[in-house]
Amino acid sequence: MRAAGAALPCSLMTARNNITTSLASRIGLGTVQFGTDYGVSNTAGQVPAPEVAAILRSAHAAGIRVLDTAAGYGTAEEVLGAALAPDQDFAIVTKALPLSHGLEEVERRARRSLDLLRRAPADAILIHAARDLAGSEGPRLWALLERLRDEGLYRRIGISAYFGDGPLELARRYRPDLMQLPFSILDQRLRQNGELALLKKLGIEIHVRSVFLQGLLFMDSGQLPARLAHAGPALAATQARIKQAGLRPIEAAIGFVLAHDDVDIAIVGVTSRDELAQIVSASATRLPDFDWRACAIDDPVTLTPSFW
């Protein structure tokens, strides 16, 4: 296993100089903002339906082919179903309701998701609350997803997990087709402990989220909400390192994630076509050789949006 050192391998640095379209194919579009007012740095609120349609057109034209949504994202699935054009061949990944709703409701809603999305089969359905798999009902919940896959409603099944859920242990137990995990220039824990590489060796497709940590990477210390004020100094230090490297935060964030071969898809959320265009453009930036590991923040609260 390659040590979690300062510099990215030369082979990865060379790969970063490929054309923008090929890089965009490894970007997935998160849709939580399409169904609800979401994000610590989001001042625009829920994205209006006409803008959603325009974002989808721009994403498809850029070469993006993965959409990430969930039953728990407000009206996101319904909005997507209404906005998607017949010729837009997106692979749609959605997520089931938590087991607290009851197994029957989880199944009912998983079937309803396909009606709302107006796409069947969908590419994948994930367990949204990975902790559900650790309980006594975990095997039954997983068996439900297997049945939905066997019925041809979803092509693949997987797990969306936090670092604290023990993703490698879950992967070894359930053997999902894909996993969605937090990974970013700020949150490098799965790289540093080697789990990202080990998950890939199991043949699992890896989708990473929180690439910008809900835009936290772009915020000044004075803009942080009170519950994240303690992260100000560490965040400012990382922003200073990025600037010294001659990069903008958006370039460092998307570039760092896409430079890792273990990452198949980097999920990003946007509220406008302009934001999407900035991300796609930034993904083609040449990355310098500098101490990427020093950009990481070691604070579970800051790195876990559910704690905010």
Side-chain angles (χ1 to χ4, degrees), residues 143-156:
L144 167 60
L145 263 62
E146 290 178 322
R147 179 156 51 84
L148 294 172
R149 180 183 60 189
D150 293 345
E151 287 182 28
L153 300 180
Y154 295 93
R155 296 187 181 93
R156 301 185 293 167

Side-chain angles (χ1 to χ4, degrees), residues 2 5-14 16 191 241 244-247 285-293 295:
R2 177 171 55 83
L8 295 173
C10 292
S11 61
L12 294 184
M13 298 296 295
T14 301
R16 294 290 301 118
R191 178 196 181 202
R241 290 187 179 96
Q244 289 168 3
L247 294 171
T285 301
R286 182 190 296 269
L287 295 180
D289 183 2
F290 88 117
D291 192 356
W292 293 91
R293 185 173 182 176
C295 293

